[in-house]
Amino acid sequence: MVGLCEGGSEPPGSLKAICNAFVRSPNKSIRSAARELILLHTTVHKVLHKNLRLFAYKIQLVQAFQPDDYPRRTAAMSDRD
């Protein structure tokens, strides 16, 4: 990711600072990084997407399917009709 921290049309030094902030702490939120760097959160968001090609995602924990889940689901859907 170090090679990605160059160039851009953002405020001087912001691309490198944003990149370094997320290298140090990859789980950091865009808003907390913006507060830390004294930048707009929209600027941080644009740099992450357009320049660094990084996209936020949220990990969601879900239950695993069990063998008897499919018949229950189809029965529930047929009850709706």
Side-chain angles (χ1 to χ4, degrees), residues 53-68:
R53 303 276 188 233
L54 297 175
F55 301 92
Y57 63 92
K58 182 175 181 179
I59 296 174
Q60 296 180 346
L61 300 177
V62 295
Q63 296 175 330
F65 283 114
Q66 301 298 319
D68 65 332

Side-chain angles (χ1 to χ4, degrees), residues 7 9-20 37 39 43-44 47 52:
S9 61
E10 295 70 32
S14 67
L15 179 65
K16 193 166 204 146
I18 293 168
C19 183
N20 290 335
L37 300 169
L39 294 170
T43 301
V44 175
V47 167
L52 301 177

